[in-house]
Amino acid sequence: MEILWVLMAAALLAFVLLPFLRRRRGGIELVPAGHPDAADPADYGFVRQEELDIRMPGPDQDLLDVLDLVQRTQDYKAASQLLAGTEREGEPRWQRVQAFAGAASLELQQRPGGVSEAPGGQWLRVWRAEHPKDAGGAAVHAEFLVQQAWRTSTPGTDEFRIIMEEAKAACGEAALLAPGDPIPYIVELSVARGLGYSQAEFEQLWLKILDRAPNHMGAHLAALHYWCEKWHGSRELAYSFAEAAAARAPHGSLLAAMPLFAVFEHLPEVNLVSGFYQSEVVTKAIHGALHAVHSARADDPMLAHVRHLLVFFLVRGERWAEAMSQLVHIDGHVGALPWTLSADPAAEFAIYRALAVAGYEANGGSPATLTQ
């Protein structure tokens, strides 16, 4: 127990002192606040911690505008129109379905309703009631139920199973409304994990997705969770799944970064060996992800997800310049792994960003030498 308290105290101390890191060639040191040699992320045009957007991994202005309108007016119509105009097989539709469902779920959590107040997320209930045949609304509702299960109950409890069974039925309804749409089946991947589908059942579900969107990165990330050691698979099964996806990835596909996500899902909870992040398995996964990033389209909506995870591993591996190269592309948005696992994603991201800046400058870097 003592070692746990020591680690927690060290983490808290780091959180307080990281803004005051000093860059010195060959090392990073702590200095008092306001010291002229303290590394300053603002020198690179990075946004202030309190201005970081935790809702999504990268910019999607259409989505942001619609979310703002829906939540301000409690009218679902703009959300329905946006999804109707979004390609079914592409990554943006999945991200937008998640965003609308998450917004409704958070609203409900913040405003559960009462005698004189309507519950939050009422716009989603109205959407389903007024347009029960709207495939977009059905998909958002299914994902909403999944998020509610994970957010409000504990896996293995009766409450969790009841909500997940309802989500499973909602996935089936959404699939009937749009036979060629992979989204209802991608939503069901989380249901499969929560309800403990057998591996044979999961494989059948996965084949339905491969038939509709074989290179869907979001689907692969959702499926990876099932195969992880902490759920229904093992380290070996998760690595095998990720490596198979990378091996069959077409040129320009971010599926080549899947092994890095598999490594992340199986990190030791407490790792005091600094060389781990420079080990062969991690280095190989990082190089695969870097190759995927360099080969991908600049407008690939999943690119930011890979860049965020790369920042985590590159900073841990003390590859400061490469970490900075990723940061210049993603700074401003932190709604992605690994930051979303923290109670304060913006603060977690800011710590790694400060470390990257300090390490970069300690080894001779500066705003003038940073290339994108």
Side-chain angles (χ1 to χ4, degrees):
M1 178 61 73
E2 286 81 7
I3 183 66
L4 179 60
W5 284 110
V6 169
L7 290 170
M8 290 174 64
L12 180 61
L13 184 64
F15 177 83
V16 174
L17 297 180
L18 273 171
F20 316 130
L21 288 167
R22 176 170 63 181
R23 65 275 192 185
R24 286 189 60 183
R25 189 172 299 277
I28 304 173
E29 297 181 359
L30 294 171
V31 296
H35 192 287
D37 285 339
D40 188 356
D43 291 342
Y44 296 84
F46 295 150
V47 303
R48 296 169 60 87
Q49 178 179 324
E50 57 269 26
E51 296 172 352
L52 292 168
D53 191 327
I54 64 173
R55 295 173 293 180
M56 55 191 66
D60 183 343
Q61 196 58 49
D62 289 341
L63 174 59
L64 288 175
D65 291 343
V66 170
L67 270 174
D68 177 67
L69 180 62
V70 169
Q71 295 189 298
R72 182 161 37 85
T73 65
Q74 290 295 294
D75 188 334
Y76 66 86
K77 294 183 181 63
S80 177
Q81 291 169 0
L82 182 64
L83 286 182
T86 305
E87 179 189 10
R88 285 195 308 186
E89 294 79 13
E91 306 283 354
R93 183 176 174 83
W94 171 229
Q95 295 191 19
R96 289 170 175 179
V97 165
Q98 287 181 296
F100 288 132
S105 180
L106 283 172
E107 281 185 35
L108 182 59
Q109 182 182 38
Q110 294 164 357
R111 301 195 314 277
V115 177
S116 60
E117 180 186 39
Q122 182 69 19
W123 53 270
L124 178 55
R125 284 180 284 277
V126 174
W127 186 358
R128 295 294 296 128
E130 292 187 354
H131 292 281
K133 302 297 185 182
D134 185 330
V140 172
H141 180 238
E143 174 65 14
F144 165 80
L145 291 170
V146 166
Q147 293 196 27
Q148 280 294 101
W150 293 111
R151 192 187 305 276
T152 65
S153 54
T154 303
T157 63
D158 289 342
E159 180 186 8
F160 181 84
R161 177 167 289 275
I162 289 170
I163 301 174
M164 277 297 188
E165 290 288 359
E166 186 180 355
K168 181 179 180 179
C171 289
E173 182 180 351
L176 288 174
L177 291 172
D181 189 349
I183 300 301
Y185 300 105
I186 299 175
V187 176
E188 193 179 347
L189 290 173
S190 188
V191 175
R193 177 162 56 98
L195 292 180
Y197 283 22
S198 69
Q199 292 187 3
E201 291 174 315
F202 188 86
E203 290 283 10
Q204 288 299 311
L205 173 60
W206 183 238
L207 286 174
K208 293 176 182 178
I209 295 171
L210 291 182
D211 285 343
R212 292 161 175 80
N215 299 316
H216 199 289
M217 180 74 171
H220 279 79
L221 291 176
L224 177 64
H225 290 302
Y226 176 91
W227 294 114
C228 285
E229 190 173 61
K230 58 189 173 186
W231 287 106
H232 308 293
S234 65
R235 181 189 301 265
E236 292 72 26
L237 285 171
Y239 278 27
S240 177
F241 175 80
E243 288 165 2
R248 67 170 183 269
H251 178 73
S253 169
L254 288 166
L255 289 176
M258 284 297 298
L260 189 64
F261 286 88
V263 170
F264 177 76
E265 291 294 338
H266 294 88
L267 289 177
E269 289 189 16
V270 178
N271 178 30
L272 303 180
V273 181
S274 60
F276 172 79
Y277 291 92
Q278 298 166 350
S279 65
E280 182 179 354
V281 64
V282 174
T283 299
K284 182 181 177 182
I286 288 174
H287 287 169
L290 286 171
H291 173 73
V293 164
H294 293 150
S295 303
R297 301 189 329 269
D299 62 347
D300 190 315
M302 294 301 293
L303 189 54
H305 286 272
V306 181
R307 291 190 188 279
H308 279 288
L309 196 62
L310 272 170
V311 168
F312 171 87
F313 278 99
L314 292 170
V315 168
R316 289 290 188 100
E318 300 180 5
R319 297 168 64 165
W320 313 115
E322 291 169 292
M324 291 294 288
S325 294
Q326 301 305 318
L327 281 168
V328 297
H329 290 285
I330 58 173
D331 189 72
H333 297 84
V334 296
L337 287 175
W339 328 120
T340 51
L341 297 178
S342 168
D344 190 342
E348 185 78 3
F349 174 81
I351 288 175
Y352 278 78
R353 186 177 64 181
L355 279 169
V357 170
Y360 180 63
E361 295 186 356
N363 288 275
S366 70
T369 62
L370 182 61
T371 57
Q372 299 188 16

